[in-house]
Amino acid sequence: MSERIPEFLKAAKATQAAAKAVEAAVKVLAKDASGPAAIAEAADAAVAALQKVAPTDTLAASVREELVAKSAGARTALERERALLAGAVAAELGKVGLKAEGHLPLLRAGVLTLEFLFGPKGRCIAWFGPRHERLADCPLEATAIAAKAAELDKALLGGDFNEAAFLADLHAAYRTCAVRQGVGEGDRVPLTALLAEVAFRRQRPAFLADPRRETFTPYGRVEFACALARLKVRRHGDRELRLDVATMAQTRRPEDHLWVPRGRTGDGTQYATASFVKTAG
């Protein structure tokens, strides 16, 4: 730090002291009851304080230039650190079979979006899809971020998946949902209503006997969307599952739509309704 900064701070303190002295003199001058002695004393104190104030224009300009240079250097270092972090995260993701795409502060890794929040309490937030559902937080450390991403990817789209069983369960849930919605089989039902019916069918006997939070088995939007994404065949008997793309208005409320990824990529579609339509042959 140059000597100009301490000089500027000293001058600034003198200016503050002079401002207080001038303010005190103004108050004395404003009082009708103030006598000449009080006025002279206050005015002399203000003049004395003002004489201690050194010109600060040159000092301020010099300090400004120094601080601008330090800010520019710090920002350059910060950008370099962030670029190194992005590279390290991409490398670690590659080790666990995930490809990083995009640029900070947002990176895509499969069906996940990794949002980097920098600052004193910096962290990385893992989102499902393009920031639809918040899944987890982790520190800004490449190994930790990659480990969490791999864990989430495996939980959502890895492991065993009985496609035929899920489709059969989905069709049964759809038929119940259609009755609840007052529509015929083959008609559209809200996709989130179908989700609720599927979630209910996944409850254990303990919940059915005593429906409390302690006995409830969670099954939410993310799990349902990923199960739909894993369907390669959508035909069940003489019926075929059809999903209808949501309109712009339907994407404004979570209860009116559901984002479904396209496989293990970060691409996907917003759907609003579903139906099992009878097909020929």
Side-chain angles (χ1 to χ4, degrees), residues 114-226:
L114 303 176
E115 181 180 12
F116 292 77
L117 302 179
F118 298 100
K121 297 182 180 180
R123 64 191 188 280
C124 177
I125 302 175
W127 296 87
F128 176 62
R131 291 195 286 183
H132 283 293
E133 310 290 337
R134 185 169 180 159
L135 300 177
D137 286 23
C138 55
L140 288 178
E141 199 278 314
T143 304
I145 292 171
K148 178 57 68 175
E151 175 190 328
L152 292 171
D153 180 79
K154 182 178 180 180
L156 296 176
L157 295 168
D160 296 331
F161 178 65
N162 190 326
E163 186 175 358
F166 174 74
L167 193 58
D169 191 42
L170 190 64
H171 181 234
Y174 163 78
R175 295 180 66 182
T176 302
C177 189
V179 172
R180 294 184 190 278
Q181 294 288 317
V183 299
E185 188 171 3
D187 292 334
R188 296 181 178 92
V189 300
L191 192 53
T192 53
L194 182 56
L195 160 62
E197 191 61 44
V198 171
F200 183 78
R201 293 175 62 84
R202 274 166 166 63
Q203 298 312 307
R204 296 168 296 166
F207 177 80
L208 301 179
D210 187 12
R212 293 182 295 115
R213 181 170 58 184
E214 293 80 2
T215 57
F216 180 74
T217 302
Y219 186 79
R221 296 170 64 89
V222 175
E223 293 89 345
F224 186 53
C226 287

Side-chain angles (χ1 to χ4, degrees), residues 90 93 99-104 106-110 265-266:
L93 286 172
K99 181 181 178 182
E101 299 178 293
H103 304 280
L104 292 182
L106 296 177
L107 292 180
R108 285 197 335 184
T265 72

Side-chain angles (χ1 to χ4, degrees), residues 188-269:
R188 296 181 178 92
V189 300
L191 192 53
T192 53
L194 182 56
L195 160 62
E197 191 61 44
V198 171
F200 183 78
R201 293 175 62 84
R202 274 166 166 63
Q203 298 312 307
R204 296 168 296 166
F207 177 80
L208 301 179
D210 187 12
R212 293 182 295 115
R213 181 170 58 184
E214 293 80 2
T215 57
F216 180 74
T217 302
Y219 186 79
R221 296 170 64 89
V222 175
E223 293 89 345
F224 186 53
C226 287
L228 289 173
R230 299 181 75 176
L231 284 176
K232 296 182 177 65
V233 177
R234 295 189 175 186
R235 183 160 179 167
H236 178 69
D238 62 349
R239 299 271 174 176
E240 182 180 66
L241 171 65
R242 293 185 182 175
L243 302 178
D244 306 294
V245 177
T247 64
M248 184 68 70
Q250 288 171 320
T251 61
R252 292 172 185 160
R253 302 193 311 165
E255 57 266 38
D256 292 335
H257 75 281
L258 182 70
W259 184 81
V260 179
R262 193 172 298 118
R264 298 185 85 121
T265 72
D267 298 322
T269 304

